[in-house]
Amino acid sequence: MKCPFCGCDDTQVKDSRNADDNTAIRRRRECPECGSRFTTFERVQLRDLIVVKKNGEKVMFDRDKLARSIDLAVRKRPVSAERVEKIVNSIQRRLESSGETEIPSTVIGEYVMEALSTLDHIAYIRFASVYRDFREVKDFEDFVDTIDKMAKPQGEN
């Protein structure tokens, strides 16, 4: 592993431990040249995933981008970083185990919507407002009404 500070190619692992509910290994490293310490994470990747965007463009799956989009939706909500990490891990595992290498972005969006709908209704609405690309206030109102009906117990109106 190359040192991010001085570029030395020969860094040493000082400590390794499981991280993220055993889906990654956290390694503390030290550079013998400059003495700097840094942390790396090693994750299992079953296959390279390619995301097919709505316009047909193909890009490599970016786990960090998925995490950032969920982080934006849950910002200032009572949702822990660990919970977001579990959702990201779950979605990534689901994508990798699908057997497909090319995944439509709409599938990823639906997985996120599904996870957020049970986690936090405000985060769900925030994500949906970007993902569903509401054009008019009426579209947004209809969506919120649908959520409101889902949240009410049966027999209540």
Side-chain angles (χ1 to χ4, degrees), residues 138-153:
K138 181 74 174 128
D139 298 335
F140 188 75
E141 288 172 347
D142 292 343
F143 181 76
V144 171
D145 286 343
T146 303
I147 294 169
D148 196 32
K149 288 175 187 168
M150 288 177 7
K152 287 184 181 178

Side-chain angles (χ1 to χ4, degrees), residues 35-103:
S36 297
R37 289 182 174 232
F38 58 98
T39 302
T40 61
F41 289 89
E42 184 179 313
R43 296 183 189 286
V44 172
Q45 183 174 330
L46 299 176
R47 62 176 44 106
D48 287 335
L49 296 174
I50 297 168
V51 177
V52 182
K53 294 184 171 189
K54 290 178 185 176
N55 67 4
E57 180 185 354
K58 295 179 181 182
V59 296
M60 292 299 293
F61 173 74
D62 184 349
R63 184 181 197 292
D64 293 333
K65 184 177 178 183
L66 175 61
R68 283 191 308 272
S69 67
I70 295 172
D71 278 336
L72 271 174
V74 301
R75 195 173 93 210
K76 296 185 180 180
R77 300 295 303 154
V79 177
S80 70
E82 292 80 26
R83 187 69 184 117
V84 171
E85 187 65 23
K86 284 182 181 179
I87 290 170
V88 173
N89 287 340
S90 171
I91 291 172
Q92 184 175 7
R93 268 187 251 124
R94 197 169 169 187
L95 294 171
E96 289 175 340
S97 63
S98 73
E100 299 294 325
T101 54
E102 291 189 359
I103 310 288

